[in-house]
Amino acid sequence: MGETEDGLHRVIEVLSETDLSGYLSRIRDDLQVTKLSHFEYVQANDLERIGLSKPAIRRLLATIKQKQRSSNTKKQLSNTTSLPSSSSSSSNSCLISPSSLNLSVTLGSGHFGIVRQGEWDGLPVAVKILRGCNAISDFVREANAMHLLSHRYLIRLHGIVLSEPLMMVTELAPLGSLLSRLRSEPKHFLVYMLVEYARQISEGMDYLEQRRFVHRDLAARNIFLVSYEQIKIGDFGLARMIDTDCNLYKPGTVIGQSIPIAW
């Protein structure tokens, strides 16, 4: 952490959150701790020596670990995404302040976490909320992919929230997924509507191909209805860039072969 990110103010903040502010002088003077990163060299018996109980020590160290994990995550996202602040209008997506979001009902869930409906400065949005830290790389990859894409038949990324937990704010498709609508209202969808959806999906996928992306998870559950006349492709967590040198998509060592774009 840099000096501006990790200083005595961070230590004071953690002690306040854990109701241990009274130990500040002993932690600072006796243990010579003036940054959160200094706790890496502090043992539990050091904290016991200055008067902290075992439950207080566990509470303090757990909070420090959470703060450091959050800081590392933000640094990772900052290094891998180039989103402007929400005050900038030079890009399609931006960093969003959590205070500007109002969350409401849960729309769905998956291995990554949950999706909730919400409002961002009065605009209806869908908010993907990351569960834990196991999916951070997928979160970063999806944010990067969506940040580079803009098409009328693709779900738009409004921005990401560097909070705990991490959140991704996207365009809301009010009618939900095509799969759920087909199951709940099968008689509503006439053949000409399905043909039109197929045309729109093809146009969206053609745009992805032009931008050298492979979606890898195109399915009815990831097609969303903005209205009964228009769909949008979403869920870019598995999207990958195509190798520009050999014009091939390489799925990895599990399959162990290259698949031509012409698939």
Side-chain angles (χ1 to χ4, degrees):
M1 298 182 189
E3 179 64 31
T4 57
E5 297 175 342
D6 183 21
L8 185 60
H9 66 286
R10 296 293 305 281
V11 177
I12 295 172
E13 176 185 304
V14 168
L15 293 177
S16 176
E17 289 183 15
T18 53
D19 297 322
L20 297 172
S21 297
Y23 292 91
L24 174 61
S25 60
R26 276 172 279 184
I27 289 174
R28 181 192 60 203
D29 301 334
D30 297 353
L31 301 182
Q32 298 296 301
V33 170
T34 57
K35 298 181 179 181
L36 282 187
S37 55
H38 290 169
F39 277 102
E40 296 175 13
Y41 309 100
V42 174
Q43 303 296 318
N45 56 2
D46 295 324
L47 296 170
E48 283 189 68
R49 179 167 50 82
I50 63 171
L52 272 71
S53 65
K54 289 183 179 179
I57 292 172
R58 287 195 294 269
R59 188 167 73 248
L60 175 62
L61 295 181
T63 302
I64 291 170
K65 185 177 180 180
Q66 182 184 39
K67 293 285 186 182
Q68 290 175 330
R69 185 171 62 230
S70 176
S71 178
N72 289 337
T73 298
K74 291 179 181 180
K75 183 181 294 185
Q76 180 184 0
L77 283 169
S78 296
N79 289 338
T80 54
T81 60
S82 55
L83 302 181
S85 67
S86 58
S87 61
S88 171
S89 58
S90 60
S91 176
N92 289 329
S93 48
C94 62
L95 296 177
I96 293 175
S97 169
S99 62
S100 64
L101 280 176
N102 291 313
L103 303 180
S104 54
V105 298
T106 298
L107 300 176
S109 62
H111 74 280
F112 59 86
I114 64 172
V115 178
R116 295 180 63 181
Q117 185 171 334
E119 283 192 356
W120 171 46
D121 290 340
L123 178 69
V125 293
V127 182
K128 180 178 287 190
I129 304 173
L130 189 66
R131 178 190 295 140
C133 297
N134 296 330
I136 288 176
S137 60
D138 289 336
F139 179 96
V140 172
R141 190 179 294 114
E142 182 171 7
N144 277 333
M146 295 186 72
H147 178 54
L148 297 172
L149 304 172
S150 179
H151 190 272
R152 59 180 172 173
Y153 296 135
L154 302 183
I155 289 290
R156 176 185 175 186
L157 173 68
H158 291 307
I160 59 176
V161 183
L162 297 181
S163 61
E164 186 70 34
L166 293 168
M167 292 184 280
M168 185 183 301
V169 182
T170 68
E171 177 182 8
L172 177 68
L175 299 183
S177 76
L178 177 59
L179 179 63
S180 62
R181 285 286 166 173
L182 286 172
R183 287 174 172 172
S184 62
E185 304 176 7
K187 295 182 180 180
H188 184 90
F189 296 91
L190 304 178
V191 173
Y192 84 90
M193 297 172 67
L194 300 179
V195 171
E196 175 58 19
Y197 295 161
R199 186 197 66 78
Q200 294 178 18
I201 292 168
S202 297
E203 188 174 326
M205 295 302 288
D206 180 63
Y207 168 82
L208 287 179
E209 191 272 338
Q210 292 176 28
R211 299 301 299 266
R212 311 196 65 76
F213 271 94
V214 179
H215 188 283
R216 301 207 315 172
D217 197 19
L218 186 64
R221 67 180 180 277
N222 294 328
I223 304 298
F224 299 92
L225 290 167
V226 177
S227 68
Y228 284 111
E229 290 74 40
Q230 183 181 356
I231 62 88
K232 294 213 173 193
I233 302 168
D235 204 335
F236 292 87
L238 295 180
R240 297 293 186 274
M241 288 288 290
I242 297 170
D243 192 322
T244 55
D245 294 328
C246 58
N247 213 35
L248 294 173
Y249 161 65
K250 298 179 180 178
T253 56
V254 175
I255 299 177
Q257 60 184 359
S258 297
I259 302 175
I261 295 175
W263 72 6

